Amino acid sequence: MNAVKHPIKRSFVFFLVPDFTMIAFATALDPLRSANRMLGYEAYCWRLASIDGKPVRASNGVECAVNTSLEDERKKMAGPDRPNMAIVCSGINVERYQNKSAFAWLREEYNRGVAVGGLCTGAHILAAAGLLSNKRCAIHWENLPGFSEAFPKANVFADLFEIDQNIYTCAGGTAALDMMLKLIGDDFDENLVNRVCEQVLTDRVRSPTDRQRLPLRARLGVQNSKVLTIIELMEANLSEPLSLIEIADHVDLSRRQIERLFHTEMGRSPARYYLEIRLDRARHLLIQSSMPVVEVAVACGFVSASHFSKCYRELYARSPQQERVDRKQLLAA
């Protein structure tokens, strides 16, 4: 009696970019292995690729061997080994990555009906390849300010993951696990997802729209609900800062009450705290983008580049220009 043959449900190519994040890569790959084990047959298969077929070093220093080069992958496009999905695995320093060959390959795969995905900062590479215009996507919160400025046509969200038709993106870290569990659940059923969750010791699949970062209450160690509401207002209005009077009207408190609350809970005035979070956003933009300093200043609510530079130097003990020089020297080292 012939054994029953089970068709492979999906095949993947994981394209590794230098400095890719190992945790996102591992939590995307291992659920597929676990699903195969639970099913008792190879429903999912995968291979790893790099530009030239040589090993790629992750951001933690570990080198990962690959199976194919992009030249090999192009040869497979028209044959039986064409993948169902090509996933870009990237991480830190993604804004430096400029490879026309990789961008062209991603467009070719997508145009042939292959789903494309990005882990951690992979959305940056998909956007640079021209694949995210008017598409929903997710990227790691730390890279979101620079990404938004560099690719204004992409609809980026601070979600765990986003699926827009044939494009899959996630914020990295353990969010890759949630995205792959969603994919496995769509292919099979909730029972298989639950069994995989038990294998990897996670108690649930998080929703795509679950927050990436800890709630403000946990992140800042603040319990006062009024202060938390004010900080949320500030974080939502960085390019056009609200006045203290406008904030007071939103939370039904007087200016003096807000001042007292912030000195008690945050150890500084509301104006000082607001300035610090605007400067923190400016620092991310200076590091992640090539925006002129004056544009960074405007994007963070400063009326002039000189005022911005003065405030930046007072907080970080260096000018915005020096921040960029130091960053370039660090990357070149």
Side-chain angles (χ1 to χ4, degrees), residues 31-43 192 195 199:
L32 303 178
R33 179 196 63 81
S34 293
N36 286 347
R37 184 177 176 220
M38 298 298 102
L39 291 165
Y41 71 95
E42 195 177 65
L192 177 60
R195 293 169 68 194
Q199 281 293 311

Side-chain angles (χ1 to χ4, degrees), residues 22-286:
M22 184 64 77
I23 188 173
F25 169 61
T27 54
L29 184 57
D30 235 44
L32 303 178
R33 179 196 63 81
S34 293
N36 286 347
R37 184 177 176 220
M38 298 298 102
L39 291 165
Y41 71 95
E42 195 177 65
Y44 300 106
C45 67
W46 54 86
R47 58 182 179 264
L48 312 184
S50 68
I51 283 287
D52 52 9
K54 295 179 181 179
V56 183
R57 187 183 297 272
S59 59
N60 62 5
V62 174
E63 270 200 346
C64 188
V66 301
N67 309 106
T68 62
S69 66
L70 285 197
E71 184 180 351
D72 298 328
E73 288 302 325
R74 284 196 167 90
K75 293 175 182 176
K76 296 177 186 294
M77 274 190 198
D81 291 331
R82 185 178 74 174
N84 299 111
M85 183 177 291
I87 297 180
V88 177
C89 309
S90 63
I92 61 173
N93 303 325
V94 69
E95 64 277 359
R96 296 175 59 205
Y97 190 79
Q98 292 292 328
N99 191 294
K100 292 182 180 179
S101 179
F103 299 159
W105 169 70
L106 286 166
R107 288 192 296 270
E108 290 167 31
E109 293 283 15
Y110 182 74
N111 290 335
R112 285 175 177 263
V114 175
V116 296
L119 307 181
C120 191
T121 60
H124 196 289
I125 292 175
L126 297 183
L131 295 174
L132 292 186
S133 291
N134 301 313
K135 298 289 187 182
R136 292 178 64 91
C137 62
I139 197 167
H140 192 279
W141 64 266
E142 197 172 40
N143 297 84
L144 199 149
F147 179 90
S148 298
E149 295 294 338
F151 305 106
K153 292 183 179 179
N155 298 322
V156 64
F157 296 89
D159 295 340
L160 293 183
F161 65 92
E162 284 288 343
I163 300 172
D164 191 334
Q165 297 179 328
N166 225 19
I167 295 178
Y168 295 68
T169 52
C170 76
T174 57
L177 172 64
D178 299 290
M179 185 174 79
M180 299 309 278
L181 289 173
K182 172 67 167 65
L183 186 149
I184 291 168
D186 288 345
D187 285 347
F188 292 96
D189 54 32
E190 188 177 347
N191 178 57
L192 177 60
V193 170
N194 290 339
R195 293 169 68 194
V196 172
C197 283
E198 288 182 333
Q199 281 293 311
V200 301
L201 305 183
T202 188
D203 61 352
R204 68 186 180 100
V205 182
R206 292 176 294 178
S207 164
T209 56
D210 277 12
R211 66 174 72 220
Q212 292 182 26
R213 305 183 71 180
L214 289 173
L216 277 176
R217 190 180 300 272
R219 181 160 32 113
L220 301 176
V222 174
Q223 300 302 317
N224 188 289
S225 60
K226 290 288 189 180
V227 172
L228 292 171
T229 300
I230 292 168
I231 293 173
E232 287 175 350
L233 277 171
M234 290 176 174
E235 291 187 346
N237 294 274
L238 297 180
S239 60
E240 296 183 10
L242 300 174
S243 69
L244 192 53
I245 293 175
E246 290 173 312
I247 291 173
D249 288 342
H250 270 95
V251 296
D252 197 26
L253 292 174
S254 70
R255 292 179 58 181
R256 186 166 294 181
Q257 286 174 312
I258 293 174
E259 293 276 0
R260 281 201 300 265
L261 274 175
F262 263 74
H263 279 289
T264 300
E265 297 285 344
M266 307 305 297
R268 49 203 177 284
S269 71
R272 180 65 186 178
Y273 185 83
Y274 207 169
L275 175 64
E276 287 176 2
I277 61 175
R278 287 160 56 209
L279 288 170
D280 181 66
R281 177 182 173 87
R283 184 169 181 272
H284 280 97
L285 289 175
L286 289 167

